[in-house]
């Protein structure tokens, strides 16, 4: 075989900054929730409910950015940096337009949307959720620009840029949270404003950095509007199925979250804390999934599908090793971590059960269910991953959640068991697709 596109040193340069970036995001998210928890369980529950919708929109925006990254990385693999730069500009335009539409719609229909999804929630919780959701919706365009810039730098194999910008914005966010929640006593509104300001900062920095002509991918004039239907269609060929997959997937999670909300305040708060612990376990595997987009995209653009398959297996294997380490460390750290949260004894007990079950399940199933399919998406097989993910989500995670939680009286733990069942189904179908080799024949650029 010819010399591989990514040696071990190149993989380390790509993956390690991504792991640090993901860790920072999760750690700062935990600190954010800890600060908000000082305002009471109604505050932390309200932020969690609002974030369940925020995450839906964030995932859709991230999927669109991934579509742009796949197109750009494949052009780089073909040694066509000019086309990669043109596709980058189209990504900036299309993601900004889409995010503006989402922001306006979310602000206009803030109360009806939250009321439709979580209508039976306590009034104080709903008030906090409405405040937080409205303010954070303003930040969607800035988040879209940041995500687009970060994905383009990853496509270039330079993940240090997004790591450094993430450090700046996360520190800004946590300092802002402290000032607005404690000295200024602004509660969840203060936390939301801090998020808005930090996302604005991240967007501005990314747009400035993308103008540097020494980058393989760069944008010279943002205000010189150029629209290419062919390039946008290529971005959407990956981004649209991935966006629909992420959006419908998160919509299912919101419905499940609505089910959790019927179990009371303790269940809502425990589910929130347990979800944060779960995010810690998957940090390295999620980072490796981002790296797979760049690696497989460049391999496919260079006409090396066999090499793409090699990296999919290698990086997924590394993800399994990493997630075993983080799950073990998370489990051992649970007593210390839970002391940071101001939770009732009942909430603490439920949260511990959820976190322990996740530590076990994620080591067995998570990388093959979530890290691995990013390679298929980077090879322009996003439609297949969308179909599998959506059907598995609605049939197994949502359907089984109601069976386990309500009819089998398992409560919030039944919701999490249904999630693990969904992982198993996804894993089986993605592995079968990989072995079939059909993903290697889907040309994009």
């Amino acid at each position: 075989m010819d010399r591989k596109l990514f040696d071990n040193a190149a993989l380390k340069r790509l993956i390690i900054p991504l792991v640090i970036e993901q860790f920072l995001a999760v750690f700062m998210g935990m600190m954010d929730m800890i600060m908000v928890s000082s305002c009471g369980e109604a505050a932390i529950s309200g932020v969690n409910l609002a974030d369940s919708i925020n995450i839906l929109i964030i995932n859709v925006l991230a999927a669109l950015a991934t579509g742009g990254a796949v197109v750009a990385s494949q052009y780089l693999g073909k040694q066509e940096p000019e086309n990669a730069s043109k596709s980058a500009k189209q990504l900036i335009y299309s993601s900004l337009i889409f995010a503006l539409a989402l922001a306006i719609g979310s602000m206009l229909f803030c109360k009806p949307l939250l009321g439709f999804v979580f209508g039976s929630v306590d009034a104080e919780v709903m008030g906090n959720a409405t405040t937080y959701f409205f303010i954070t919706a303003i930040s969607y365009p800035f988040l879209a620009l940041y995500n687009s810039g970060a994905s383009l730098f990853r496509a270039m194999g330079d993940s240090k840029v997004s790591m450094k910008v993430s450090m700046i914005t996360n520190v800004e966010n946590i300092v802002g949270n402290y000032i607005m929640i404690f000295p200024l006593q602004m509660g969840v509104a203060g936390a939301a404003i801090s998020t808005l300001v930090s996302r604005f900062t991240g967007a501005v920095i990314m747009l400035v950095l993308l103008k540097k002509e020494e980058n393989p991918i760069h944008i010279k004039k943002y205000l010189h509007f150029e629209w290419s239907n062919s390039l946008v269609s290529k971005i959407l060929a990956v981004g649209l199925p991935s966006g629909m997959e992420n959006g419908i997937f998160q919509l299912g999670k919101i419905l499940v979250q609505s089910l959790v909300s019927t179990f009371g305040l303790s269940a809502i708060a425990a589910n929130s804390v347990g979800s944060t612990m779960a995010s810690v376990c998957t940090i390295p595997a999620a980072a490796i999934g981002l790296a797979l987009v760049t690696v497989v995209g460049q391999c496919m653009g260079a006409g090396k599908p066999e090499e793409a398959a090699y990296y999919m297996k290698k990086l997924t294997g590394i993800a399994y090793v990493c997630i075993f380490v983080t799950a073990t460390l998370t489990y051992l750290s649970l007593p210390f971590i839970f002391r940071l949260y101001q939770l009732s004894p009942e909430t603490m007990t439920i949260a511990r059960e959820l976190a322990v079950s996740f530590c076990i399940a994620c080591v067995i199933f998570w990388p093959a269910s979530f890290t691995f399919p990013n390679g298929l998406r980077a090879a322009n097989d996003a439609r297949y991953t969308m179909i599998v993910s959506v059907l598995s989500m609605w049939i197994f995670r949502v359907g089984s959640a109601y069976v386990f939680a309500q009819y089998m009286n398992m409560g919030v733990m039944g919701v999490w068991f249904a999630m693990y069942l969904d992982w198993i189904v996804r894993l089986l179908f993605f592995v079968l697709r990989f072995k079939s080799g059909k993903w290697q024949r889907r040309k994009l650029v």
Side-chain angles (χ1 to χ4, degrees):
M1 183 180 291
D2 297 336
R3 180 177 177 273
K4 289 184 170 60
L5 292 178
F6 294 85
D7 57 21
N8 289 335
L11 290 175
K12 288 179 183 177
R13 287 195 300 271
L14 179 61
I15 293 172
I16 292 176
L18 288 174
V19 173
I20 295 173
E21 180 184 349
Q22 294 295 305
F23 174 79
L24 281 172
V26 173
F27 176 74
M28 292 301 179
M30 290 176 62
M31 293 300 295
D32 190 16
M33 293 298 287
I34 290 170
M35 289 185 185
V36 171
S37 70
S38 67
C39 303
E41 289 196 354
I44 194 174
S45 298
V47 170
N48 181 56
L49 294 183
D51 268 345
S52 63
I53 300 178
N54 274 332
I55 292 171
L56 184 155
I57 295 172
I58 290 169
N59 284 342
V60 171
L61 295 176
L64 185 59
T66 298
V70 169
V71 174
S73 62
Q74 290 208 13
Y75 273 126
L76 289 180
K78 289 185 69 176
Q79 304 297 313
E80 297 180 11
E82 184 177 346
N83 282 330
S85 295
K86 289 180 180 178
S87 67
K89 193 171 187 179
Q90 300 307 305
L91 173 61
I92 294 294
Y93 287 154
S94 57
S95 63
L96 178 59
I97 293 170
F98 185 57
L100 281 170
L102 286 175
I104 293 170
S106 297
M107 288 186 287
L108 288 176
F109 301 102
C110 176
K111 289 185 179 179
L113 179 59
L114 289 169
F116 174 75
V117 179
F118 306 113
S120 61
V121 174
D122 179 79
E124 186 179 1
V125 174
M126 180 59 71
N128 285 317
T130 302
T131 299
Y132 190 83
F133 182 60
F134 183 88
I135 297 174
T136 52
I138 303 172
S139 72
Y140 293 161
F142 307 128
L143 180 62
L145 292 174
Y146 169 80
N147 283 343
S148 297
S151 68
L152 291 170
F153 277 105
R154 291 171 194 144
M156 293 182 258
D158 188 358
S159 56
K160 284 186 179 180
V161 170
S162 60
M163 178 193 71
K164 292 176 181 177
V165 177
S166 178
M167 286 182 177
I168 294 171
T169 57
N170 278 308
V171 170
E172 180 185 18
N173 186 31
I174 207 70
V175 171
N177 280 343
Y178 178 82
I179 293 172
M180 294 187 180
I181 292 175
F182 296 110
L184 299 181
Q185 296 289 308
M186 294 180 66
V188 297
I193 292 172
S194 180
T195 298
L196 168 61
V197 173
S198 65
R199 287 176 178 174
F200 172 79
T201 301
V204 171
I205 295 174
M206 279 298 182
L207 291 178
V208 171
L209 293 176
L210 279 172
K211 287 179 65 67
K212 293 186 176 182
E213 295 187 9
E214 60 265 29
N215 295 323
I217 298 175
H218 59 272
I219 301 173
K220 295 180 181 179
K221 298 178 181 179
Y222 291 107
L223 298 181
H224 182 216
F225 187 79
E226 299 171 289
W227 186 265
S228 171
N229 287 331
S230 61
L231 286 175
V232 171
S233 65
K234 286 181 171 64
I235 293 171
L236 294 179
V238 178
L240 189 58
S242 296
M244 291 178 63
E245 174 187 340
N246 287 352
I248 296 174
F249 185 83
Q250 189 63 31
L251 180 59
K253 290 179 69 175
I254 290 175
L255 291 178
V256 172
Q257 178 74 20
S258 181
L259 172 62
V260 171
S261 69
T262 64
F263 300 137
L265 193 58
S266 292
I268 297 173
N271 188 69
S272 173
V273 175
S275 296
T276 303
M277 299 299 100
S279 298
V280 174
C281 288
T282 59
I283 287 173
I288 292 171
L290 293 174
L292 260 180
V293 173
T294 297
V295 174
V296 173
Q298 290 199 24
C299 287
M300 296 300 291
K304 297 182 176 182
E306 294 82 8
E307 193 167 323
Y310 165 79
Y311 283 120
M312 288 174 68
K313 290 186 288 187
K314 179 175 181 174
L315 293 182
T316 302
I318 295 173
Y320 266 107
V321 174
C322 292
I323 206 168
F324 174 80
V325 174
T326 53
T328 302
L329 292 175
T330 300
Y331 172 76
L332 295 175
S333 303
L334 287 180
F336 169 75
I337 295 173
F338 284 143
R339 279 199 295 269
L340 297 176
Y341 290 89
Q342 300 179 28
L343 302 175
S344 65
E346 181 184 1
T347 302
M348 188 81 72
T349 299
I350 299 172
R352 178 178 176 79
E353 292 175 351
L354 298 179
V356 170
S357 71
F358 189 93
C359 287
I360 296 171
C362 72
V363 172
I364 305 172
F365 306 118
W366 204 93
S369 300
F370 294 95
T371 303
F372 185 74
N374 268 4
L376 299 177
R377 297 183 185 101
N380 193 30
D381 203 17
R383 184 178 299 176
Y384 179 84
T385 63
M386 176 193 71
I387 294 172
V388 170
S389 297
V390 170
L391 291 179
S392 179
M393 175 72 185
W394 286 90
I395 295 173
F396 295 98
R397 183 177 296 200
V398 176
S400 297
Y402 281 88
V403 173
F404 293 161
Q406 286 192 328
Y407 297 103
M408 297 180 66
N409 297 317
M410 295 174 65
V412 67
M413 181 59 75
V415 171
W416 284 55
F417 281 160
M419 175 176 68
Y420 306 146
L421 178 60
D422 169 49
W423 295 359
I424 296 171
V425 174
R426 288 167 56 95
L427 180 156
L428 292 174
F429 277 92
F430 292 148
V431 170
L432 288 174
R433 183 66 167 187
F434 175 79
K435 289 186 175 181
S436 72
K438 293 180 180 179
W439 60 276
Q440 295 178 315
R441 300 188 289 271
R442 298 186 60 84
K443 186 176 177 61
L444 181 63
V445 302

